[in-house]
Amino acid sequence: MRQRLLIIGGSYAACELAAHARENGYGEDILIVSEEADLPYHRPPLSKTYLKDQTARAEPLKAEAFYTSKKIDLKFGAKVVGFESRANVAVLSGGNRIAFNALALAVGARARALSCQGADLGNVFYLRSVADASLLRAAVAEAENIVIVGAGFIGLEVASALVQQQKRVTVIEAGSRVLGRVVAPELSQFFSSAHTARGVKLQTSCTVQSLIGDDGVVRKVVLDDGGLVDADIVIVGIGSVPSVELASQLGLPSDNGIVVDSQSRTSRENVFAAGDCALFCGPFNSGGLRLESVQNAIDQSRVAGAVIAGIHKAYASLPWFWSDQYELKLQIAGLPFGATERVVRPGTASDISVLHFRGDVCICVESVNRPREHMSARRLLAGGEIMKRDLLDVDFDIAALLKRRGQR
């Protein structure tokens, strides 16, 4: 009887895990089960070009012919709701059952919901899938006043896309600064200035008290200070919650994510997890965390696929991220957690970089419109320690440091 690898999920992690299991010699059946109706697709454009272009369509990660050629079976529009006890059998919402020998959870995360009176009104949107983006894009075409709750990557990318369509955009942020959980204060100020200069109204240190509607559709946002903001639509971008329900049914540790080791193994034999749903420790995050990024989903799932195929590998990739807002490209190499000092390399209104240090060691570089610095940081941070004294010699220009080391 043939064995089967069952992959639950339909994005980067599911696609790459299947591909790399096959590439590394896994010869048994592979089946991807996804709740979505489409081939796995690129998600970053959903908060950017997709909202600006009415003709834009989701771009598949790989063509359907790829899955056929690699004998990877696909089942779309299907939801795994549980497992048969004491058996490697997944149960679908319609009652069908799928037996497996190895299981990979690539179930991602869902948008954190707004919890206030009126949150269930019409024209309140979240953005995680192409279906979400299509509904939002249609509503934006008829809207004038747009309120975005949350000034993280999603919130500010959407603000950038919509204010360029001459919409009146207000961003509400509970924290004291935009991007407060992901970048240095200097970059928060940089992006605050960029958005304000282009017409976005930013309101920090305030929260949404309630939403007021008319005929079941949102019309105003009530703030905690009693202020009112007109809203034809409200877009919520206040973080995510890992999808751990299936892991919990299997008895897997899953607090803020499904706990895995460096090979993406869970505590249960032949059960793996990768991508946005996985909580792990690594050389760049010894305390353990869950990373939501394309890079992490791809690199971690490639390791998982190889391990399932019998190849010994461990996940140790340097985390890196990006965000496009207007003509500004923010790129981050490494993680700033535990930094004790930072050095700013100022530029113009369109470029800047910040280096984070833990003691005398550089651990993270954040940059805007400085691709050479970003790529240099990725190479040097991944290759070993970068000491402050070495950067002092080049005025903290990490690209110059890479060039110097390359000449030795």
Side-chain angles (χ1 to χ4, degrees):
M1 182 179 294
R2 287 183 63 81
Q3 297 188 341
R4 175 186 287 131
L5 164 61
L6 172 61
I7 303 170
I8 304 175
S11 191
Y12 293 95
C15 173
E16 292 295 327
L17 195 151
H20 280 261
R22 191 64 89 207
E23 182 179 300
N24 283 280
Y26 186 82
E28 307 295 339
D29 292 344
I30 299 177
L31 171 63
I32 297 176
V33 175
S34 171
E35 293 182 43
E36 295 201 53
D38 307 287
L39 288 168
Y41 53 87
H42 290 279
R43 293 181 185 257
L46 298 182
S47 59
K48 308 175 186 72
T49 54
Y50 195 93
L51 295 180
K52 293 190 289 186
D53 182 357
Q54 293 291 329
T55 66
R57 297 292 180 266
E59 180 184 351
L61 299 177
K62 299 181 186 297
E64 189 171 2
F66 169 84
Y67 300 97
T68 302
S69 68
K70 299 298 181 182
K71 296 181 178 174
I72 297 171
D73 298 320
L74 305 169
K75 189 173 183 63
F76 296 132
K79 182 177 182 178
V80 176
V81 296
F83 303 93
E84 288 189 351
S85 60
R86 296 184 298 278
N88 288 343
V89 176
V91 181
L92 303 186
S93 55
N96 291 337
R97 284 157 168 74
I98 301 173
F100 60 86
N101 302 91
L103 173 67
L105 299 173
V107 290
R110 62 184 180 276
R112 187 180 299 279
L114 188 65
S115 58
C116 69
Q117 183 178 352
D120 57 347
L121 287 168
N123 276 5
V124 177
F125 295 94
Y126 297 85
L127 186 55
R128 295 293 294 186
S129 67
V130 67
D132 295 336
S134 294
L135 290 172
L136 175 58
R137 184 170 64 182
V140 163
E142 305 297 325
E144 293 184 7
N145 298 299
I146 298 173
V147 175
I148 299 171
V149 184
F153 286 148
I154 293 294
L156 293 189
E157 287 170 1
V158 171
S160 166
L162 299 187
V163 79
Q164 292 180 80
Q165 298 179 49
Q166 287 71 56
K167 306 297 181 180
R168 289 193 287 270
V169 179
T170 301
V171 178
I172 309 298
E173 168 57 38
S176 61
R177 57 188 177 93
V178 306
L179 300 173
R181 291 181 294 174
V182 289
V183 301
E186 292 82 2
L187 280 179
S188 291
Q189 182 57 53
F190 179 92
F191 279 98
S192 289
S193 298
H195 282 276
T196 300
R198 290 163 176 82
V200 175
K201 184 177 181 180
L202 299 174
Q203 295 188 228
T204 57
S205 300
C206 62
T207 58
V208 174
Q209 188 72 24
S210 64
L211 305 181
I212 298 175
D214 181 26
D215 292 331
V217 176
V218 68
R219 294 302 180 198
K220 291 184 182 293
V221 176
V222 183
L223 303 180
D224 57 353
D225 62 2
L228 295 176
V229 184
D230 290 336
D232 298 316
I233 65 175
V234 171
I235 304 163
V236 182
I238 54 175
S240 68
V241 179
S243 299
V244 300
E245 293 79 8
L246 292 176
S248 297
Q249 288 190 40
L250 293 169
L252 305 177
S254 50
D255 183 12
N256 182 38
I258 305 169
V259 178
V260 298
D261 64 12
S262 62
Q263 296 186 315
S264 283
R265 298 181 185 272
T266 69
S267 60
R268 182 163 172 167
E269 187 177 6
N270 291 328
V271 177
F272 301 78
D276 291 1
C277 65
L279 178 72
F280 66 100
C281 295
F284 301 100
N285 59 298
S286 58
L289 80 164
R290 185 174 62 86
L291 290 177
E292 291 188 70
S293 71
V294 172
Q295 170 272 320
N296 177 68
I298 290 175
D299 290 349
Q300 188 178 41
S301 58
R302 286 176 175 177
V303 169
V307 171
I308 290 170
I311 307 298
H312 181 78
K313 293 189 76 172
Y315 180 46
S317 298
L318 175 79
W320 55 271
F321 314 83
W322 83 92
S323 175
D324 293 315
Q325 301 169 39
Y326 311 108
E327 74 285 359
L328 307 172
K329 179 177 282 293
L330 166 64
Q331 295 176 294
I332 304 172
L335 298 170
F337 308 129
T340 55
E341 183 185 358
R342 60 183 180 271
V343 174
V344 180
R345 293 192 71 244
T348 66
S350 63
D351 70 296
I352 189 176
S353 57
V354 179
L355 291 79
H356 295 258
F357 293 85
R358 184 186 298 128
D360 291 327
V361 180
C362 182
I363 58 173
C364 177
V365 177
E366 302 165 345
S367 58
V368 178
N369 287 356
R370 292 180 178 177
R372 288 183 64 249
E373 289 191 23
H374 173 69
M375 295 307 298
S376 299
R378 281 170 54 179
R379 289 182 60 182
L380 290 172
L381 289 172
E385 291 189 345
I386 308 174
M387 304 304 296
K388 185 186 299 183
R389 61 176 177 272
D390 297 325
L391 284 163
L392 276 168
D393 290 342
V394 292
D395 196 25
F396 292 96
D397 183 343
I398 199 164
L401 178 61
L402 177 65
K403 183 177 180 180
R404 173 181 291 186
R405 289 186 174 181
Q407 292 174 345
R408 290 178 179 175

